[in-house]
Amino acid sequence: MLEFTKSETTEKKDRRDFLKMLGLTIGAAGAVTTFTSTTLGATNLNSSKSTLSLIGPDGDLVEVDPAKLQMAEEIVSDSELLREYQRRGREGIPGKKWVMVIDLAKCQNARKCMEACQGAHELRPEQHHINVLRMQDTPDTAPYFMPKPCFHCDNPPCVKVCPVDATFKRQDGIVLIDNLRCIGCRFCVAGCPYSARIFQWSEPDMTEEEKLRTYDVELNVPQRKGTISKCLFSADRLRIGKLPYCVSACPNGVYWFGDKNEDAVTNGTTGETVRFSDLVRDNAGYTMHEEFGTKPQVFYLPAKDRRVPYDEANRMTTQN
Amino acid sequence: MAEVNSPSLTERKPLSQIFKDLITPIKTVSFSSKVWDRFLILIIIWGTFAYIHQLQSGLGITAMRDYSTWGVYISNFVFLVAVSLVGFLLTAILKLTGIKWATPISRIAELVAVAAVMFAGLSIIVDMGRPDRIHHIPLHGRFSSPIVWDITVVNIYLIMSVIMLYLPMIPDLAILRDRYTDAPSWKKKLYTLLALDWKGTDEQYKLLNRANRIMMILIMPVALGIHTVTSWLFAVNSRTGWDSTIFGPYFVSGAFVAGTAAVIIAMYVYQRAYKLDAYITGKHWDMMGKLLVLVSLVYLYFNINEFLVPGYKMKKLDAEHIRALFVGHEAPLFWSVQILGMIIPIILLIFKPFRKPLPMMIIALFVLVGGWLKRFLIVVPTQFHPTFPIQNVPENFMVYHPTLAEISITLALIAGVLLIMTWFVRLFPIIPIWEIAHEEGYHQVEEEAKKPESAE
Ligand code: SF4
Ligand code: SF4
């Protein structure tokens, strides 16, 4: 069963960051979640007293001396780390098929999702991986707010048109962009019928420190001038067993996120987990503009019984 | 046979006269021509500075933004590819169908093709966000992307067009090698090298004609391919205004219009600058005028299809797009292009008095500028009618007015095309000497060329 840790662990921050870098997660009591790193292979593990228990890539339990980990930190060069990020970024998380369900009835245009997303991905205020739109389908129907991320289509036109395989679809369903590969032709922007993609027209707004971070394809950070960026379903958070940034930031219970293979989605606000198929069936879930044949993997629940009057909510919609 | 299609039906020109007329432009560079090329070079330098600025600051210095992600650079690309198609029209289609009147202007057409397609390739590079990664295309190329098809076929077309420009020039190069005795030594070397030991034997001519013919046939699918695939860069996207099944023929027919207009302008300039009245004659103007009417009518037909059918249905997003073009923001440009660049030219050129050099050149200018603007109208406005509304972005994301940098770079690309066309004439004869001589009934042209000039 899928379980997302909702609170941060209380590990010492620097070590946790380092382990995260390696793709490791250490549970608070040594009982551990996934472990995917191969970079530790060079370190000679011995059995000193105070060790950390980690589960290796093949599911075996390994004892690691924290001192050795410190050493490993030194020998792991940037390029090795980058190679590891790129490898696992292309591969995806085996066995998963991520889906999102967005409940339009609950969206009150709080825009916490947009904020969290822009913070995580070093975006400018006018750049949106997720964009909350004011919608009104016809003059006679009720207006509503619609958060619009990338739909991580199963038949993604953006992937088809990319000339260099910079945008690609992984086994877990996520469509990612490799900012080190992208040539900036922007064909994918033309190809995406949902306007999910943004382009770094100028040097991204980042501090010097941020610029020096090792590029993580699962986070698109550091952002690169002259390349594409878009919603990544927070692949970096999924890797450490957490819900996407937007999903956990929403105060109104709009987002459900989870694994289609397990048929379970978790609400980012309440933490409640339900069957995906039940949720979508019982609430008349649908996907946007499926006539394009793109097979979106973001599902919407209709905007019925909206509790927030549109006019009031409308007031909050200021242009950036 | 030769006499029937002779450019001057009245009297036969002496061969030495033909040599003299057609070699003179290579020998002497006029003052105005020098001023002209300095002017072009200045524009290119200015554009290069703009491009360096763009490399440093990113595409942010253009007016392109997320909802107008392709702008004038892509319009340039489509335009230049379109213009280049005329080489195929005038040299391959007309020659293969046995139409001979185009002989004296076939080299102009092929030159326009080569110059335009070269700079079409550059336009694409200028548009790239990361030109430093251009090697990723051969390295990581994915064949499912129409860009990869386009790059492939643009390069093949460029190579084939250069060959088609070169092959029929070989006998002329031999003539230059033997006749142009006071040439600077580098030119002599160049001619000797390029003439490939041409002697003008029957066997060589047989080979040359066969090679030419093969090229004319081979270039057909490539030429159709280059512009059809270019149209697919748009048509493969599920977007209002691009989502059309007739984009291939629509683009190809439009390309013939733009290319024919470009050749007409080039004919005018070359004829005036190099006094080629005896070679580019009234008959050529007349025929080119008729050709422009013909291709424009075909283009008009596709235009009606492209706009009338969605305009009749008025599907939600199509309706927005069509309203913007017909009565909205884009309407003044759209109607000027359609009326001044297509309908009025067709009407005027039906009448013989307008099929004369000066009026035709002016009409062709309208058609050509209209052709560029039409590409712009195809590329840009469509993007402002996406599936979901454009919201939460600054004002400048919702309009597209090209910036100074974009205009400078665009002008530099056009100047590049013109510069190639200017320099070419200083090196090579723009009218095929041997073909003219053959049509006038002279044989053994190569032998004659060897005789010293003073003997005549
Ligand atoms: S929504 Fe757009 S960017 Fe996302 S996968 Fe689909 S086509 Fe690609
Ligand atoms: S802009 Fe980048 S990601 Fe998009 S199609 Fe071009 S190379 Fe691929």
Side-chain angles (χ1 to χ4, degrees):
Chain A
M1 192 61 201
L2 182 78
E3 238 145 59
F4 288 106
T5 24
K6 283 208 69 203
S7 58
E8 298 277 313
T9 58
T10 49
E11 221 72 39
K12 258 186 74 192
K13 194 177 180 303
D14 51 350
R15 180 187 297 154
R16 195 203 59 214
D17 278 357
F18 162 60
L19 291 170
K20 228 175 93 183
M21 272 193 327
L22 289 178
L24 317 177
T25 307
I26 300 190
V32 197
T33 60
T34 48
F35 176 87
T36 54
S37 173
T38 54
T39 32
L40 277 176
T43 325
N44 193 7
L45 305 173
N46 68 8
S47 52
S48 69
K49 279 300 150 211
S50 58
T51 54
L52 283 166
S53 305
L54 303 172
I55 295 171
D58 309 320
D60 50 331
L61 205 67
V62 288
E63 302 281 307
V64 183
D65 180 352
K68 291 284 175 190
L69 277 180
Q70 292 296 238
M71 277 175 59
E73 183 169 19
E74 279 146 33
I75 60 163
V76 173
S77 69
D78 244 24
S79 62
E80 275 174 273
L81 189 57
L82 179 65
R83 213 175 306 133
E84 174 56 16
Y85 277 171
Q86 293 288 70
R87 186 199 58 77
R88 71 178 199 191
R90 288 254 165 198
E91 185 189 270
I93 304 171
K96 300 291 183 189
K97 179 77 176 83
W98 305 109
V99 282
M100 183 185 268
V101 181
I102 298 178
D103 190 347
L104 295 175
K106 297 218 176 77
C107 182
Q108 305 181 19
N109 198 26
R111 304 205 162 189
K112 294 286 182 248
C113 53
M114 288 167 73
E115 248 169 61
C117 172
Q118 288 179 331
H121 300 291
E122 318 283 1
L123 299 174
R124 294 168 199 263
E126 75 270 17
Q127 297 182 310
H128 309 293
H129 281 187
I130 186 161
N131 197 358
V132 179
L133 302 176
R134 257 169 310 148
M135 300 289 289
Q136 185 166 20
D137 297 340
T138 76
D140 299 323
T141 52
Y144 57 95
F145 292 106
M146 183 187 109
K148 177 180 67 68
C150 161
F151 294 159
H152 295 273
C153 308
D154 269 357
N155 182 21
C158 56
V159 170
K160 266 195 277 190
V161 298
C162 178
V164 293
D165 201 18
T167 200
F168 56 92
K169 177 130 183 120
R170 318 196 299 186
Q171 55 172 318
D172 57 3
I174 300 186
V175 174
L176 283 190
I177 296 148
D178 181 350
N179 295 95
L180 303 181
R181 173 79 64 85
C182 172
I183 58 169
C185 65
R186 311 188 297 294
F187 201 169
C188 55
V189 182
C192 170
Y194 307 114
S195 315
R197 299 180 152 247
I198 59 163
F199 187 70
Q200 296 293 354
W201 298 98
S202 313
E203 196 58 63
D205 267 345
M206 288 184 299
T207 62
E208 282 309 309
E209 194 193 334
E210 283 163 352
K211 276 185 198 155
L212 290 176
R213 287 169 71 176
T214 304
Y215 172 73
D216 184 356
V217 66
E218 292 185 338
L219 188 61
N220 274 189
V221 164
Q223 297 279 351
R224 289 279 198 295
K225 179 178 87 179
T227 63
I228 292 288
S229 191
K230 71 157 185 72
C231 158
L232 314 96
F233 262 2
S234 302
D236 62 321
R237 298 262 291 185
L238 300 176
R239 185 161 296 279
I240 56 169
K242 289 190 176 143
L243 288 169
Y245 299 103
C246 49
V247 173
S248 10
C250 176
N252 296 321
V254 172
Y255 297 98
W256 300 83
F257 194 89
D259 180 0
K260 217 179 186 178
N261 289 343
E262 288 180 339
D263 198 19
V265 284
T266 305
N267 190 290
T269 313
T270 62
E272 183 192 357
T273 297
V274 298
R275 273 187 183 285
F276 163 74
S277 50
D278 288 350
L279 182 69
V280 168
R281 189 194 53 227
D282 297 346
N283 296 285
Y286 61 99
T287 55
M288 284 288 169
H289 291 278
E290 61 272 35
E291 71 269 21
F292 292 131
T294 46
K295 304 203 178 89
Q297 292 307 300
V298 170
F299 294 76
Y300 284 90
L301 307 183
K304 55 159 194 172
D305 299 336
R306 286 175 39 79
R307 271 165 298 141
V308 178
Y310 184 75
D311 280 350
E312 193 208 321
N314 199 14
R315 198 174 43 77
M316 293 191 279
T317 318
T318 45
Q319 296 267 311
N320 276 307
Chain B
M1 169 200 99
E3 274 72 19
V4 178
N5 291 296
S6 155
S8 72
L9 292 164
T10 42
E11 90 254 31
R12 189 166 128 150
K13 276 186 283 290
L15 189 55
S16 59
Q17 184 68 35
I18 296 178
F19 284 157
K20 189 159 176 282
D21 287 349
L22 298 182
I23 297 179
T24 309
I26 304 174
K27 286 186 174 172
T28 49
V29 179
S30 69
F31 177 70
S32 54
S33 169
K34 274 185 192 152
V35 172
W36 168 242
D37 82 1
R38 298 299 182 282
F39 170 67
L40 292 177
I41 289 171
L42 270 182
I43 295 180
I44 292 173
I45 292 174
W46 173 255
T48 312
F49 275 122
Y51 184 60
I52 291 171
H53 180 37
Q54 179 181 306
L55 280 181
Q56 285 165 346
S57 335
L59 287 168
I61 67 159
T62 69
M64 294 186 281
R65 289 297 179 267
D66 293 338
Y67 294 94
S68 52
T69 177
W70 284 341
V72 290
Y73 298 150
I74 294 291
S75 314
N76 284 336
F77 170 71
V78 181
F79 173 74
L80 290 173
V81 168
V83 166
S84 80
L85 226 58
V86 73
F88 149 73
L89 173 68
L90 281 181
T91 53
I93 299 187
L94 293 192
K95 277 196 178 171
L96 278 180
T97 46
I99 294 168
K100 289 252 161 49
W101 61 263
T103 305
I105 47 179
S106 63
R107 191 168 291 162
I108 298 181
E110 209 54 63
L111 174 62
V112 168
V114 170
V117 79
M118 272 171 70
F119 283 85
L122 266 185
S123 307
I124 281 271
I125 295 177
V126 160
D127 184 68
M128 283 170 60
R130 296 303 296 237
D132 53 317
R133 294 182 183 166
I134 193 153
H135 58 281
H136 286 191
I137 299 170
L139 216 60
H140 306 289
R142 283 173 83 249
F143 209 71
S144 68
S145 169
I147 290 201
V148 174
W149 314 342
D150 214 17
I151 290 173
T152 313
V153 46
V154 163
N155 281 311
I156 297 175
Y157 186 70
L158 173 60
I159 294 168
M160 290 181 78
S161 296
V162 170
I163 296 174
M164 285 186 68
L165 180 63
Y166 171 63
L167 278 182
M169 217 160 65
I170 295 176
D172 281 1
L173 289 163
I175 293 170
L176 284 174
R177 175 192 65 198
D178 300 332
R179 187 79 181 179
Y180 182 14
T181 41
D182 49 349
S185 69
W186 67 272
K187 269 193 184 177
K188 270 189 195 153
K189 274 189 202 131
L190 181 75
Y191 297 140
T192 315
L193 185 77
L194 291 180
L196 299 179
D197 232 356
W198 180 265
K199 292 194 182 63
T201 60
D202 284 352
E203 200 177 333
Q204 280 182 331
Y205 269 114
K206 224 167 125 189
L207 257 176
L208 181 71
N209 286 334
R210 189 175 305 155
N212 262 330
R213 230 185 135 71
I214 291 174
M215 288 306 293
M216 284 176 210
I217 293 166
L218 285 183
I219 203 153
M220 292 231 169
V222 180
L224 284 176
I226 175 178
H227 213 45
T228 307
V229 172
T230 299
S231 82
W232 290 347
L233 294 186
F234 307 97
V236 296
N237 302 307
S238 302
R239 277 188 183 242
T240 292
W242 289 349
D243 189 357
S244 160
T245 49
I246 64 159
F247 251 38
Y250 175 49
F251 271 46
V252 169
S253 63
F256 287 159
V257 175
T260 307
V263 168
I264 289 173
I265 297 167
M267 276 164 68
Y268 183 84
V269 175
Y270 287 139
Q271 186 192 36
R272 283 295 118 109
Y274 299 112
K275 306 189 180 54
L276 299 173
D277 297 36
Y279 304 91
I280 301 173
T281 62
K283 179 182 170 170
H284 297 113
W285 290 103
D286 191 49
M287 293 308 277
M288 283 302 279
K290 287 179 181 161
L291 182 68
L292 188 55
V293 172
L294 175 74
V295 289
S296 297
L297 282 172
V298 177
Y299 190 41
L300 177 67
Y301 167 75
F302 278 109
N303 266 281
I304 293 172
N305 274 278
E306 181 59 22
F307 292 107
L308 189 91
V309 174
Y312 186 87
K313 283 183 286 203
M314 287 304 241
K315 292 198 285 189
K316 191 173 167 199
L317 290 170
D318 285 355
E320 266 178 44
H321 175 60
I322 289 201
R323 261 192 219 108
L325 287 181
F326 282 16
V327 290
H329 184 250
E330 252 69 56
L333 193 60
F334 178 78
W335 290 114
S336 319
V337 165
Q338 299 292 62
I339 292 171
L340 296 176
M342 184 166 60
I343 294 170
I344 293 185
I346 294 177
I347 295 171
L348 290 182
L349 287 174
I350 291 175
F351 299 102
K352 198 158 179 144
F354 286 99
R355 296 201 295 273
K356 296 272 173 269
L358 186 63
M360 247 173 87
M361 194 274 290
I362 294 169
I363 291 171
L365 264 180
F366 272 90
V367 173
L368 195 64
V369 173
W372 191 92
L373 292 169
K374 185 66 187 293
R375 303 307 179 284
F376 180 84
L377 282 172
I378 291 173
V379 174
V380 176
T382 280
Q383 301 175 74
F384 288 114
H385 307 288
T387 316
F388 293 119
I390 304 175
Q391 287 175 11
N392 310 320
V393 288
E395 284 292 316
N396 68 337
F397 276 52
M398 308 198 196
V399 287
Y400 175 75
H401 298 304
T403 60
L404 180 64
E406 281 172 286
I407 294 169
S408 309
I409 294 171
T410 298
L411 289 178
L413 290 166
I414 306 286
V417 175
L418 297 176
L419 193 63
I420 289 188
M421 294 182 61
T422 310
W423 280 350
F424 182 90
V425 197
R426 296 187 193 162
L427 280 179
F428 307 110
I430 190 65
I431 307 285
I433 303 176
W434 68 273
E435 281 182 277
I436 296 285
H438 283 201
E439 284 192 358
E440 293 276 325
Y442 295 104
H443 298 286
Q444 308 298 318
V445 184
E446 289 78 0
E447 291 306 310
E448 291 293 321
K450 280 188 186 142
K451 289 180 187 156
E453 253 172 286
S454 51
E456 289 136 23

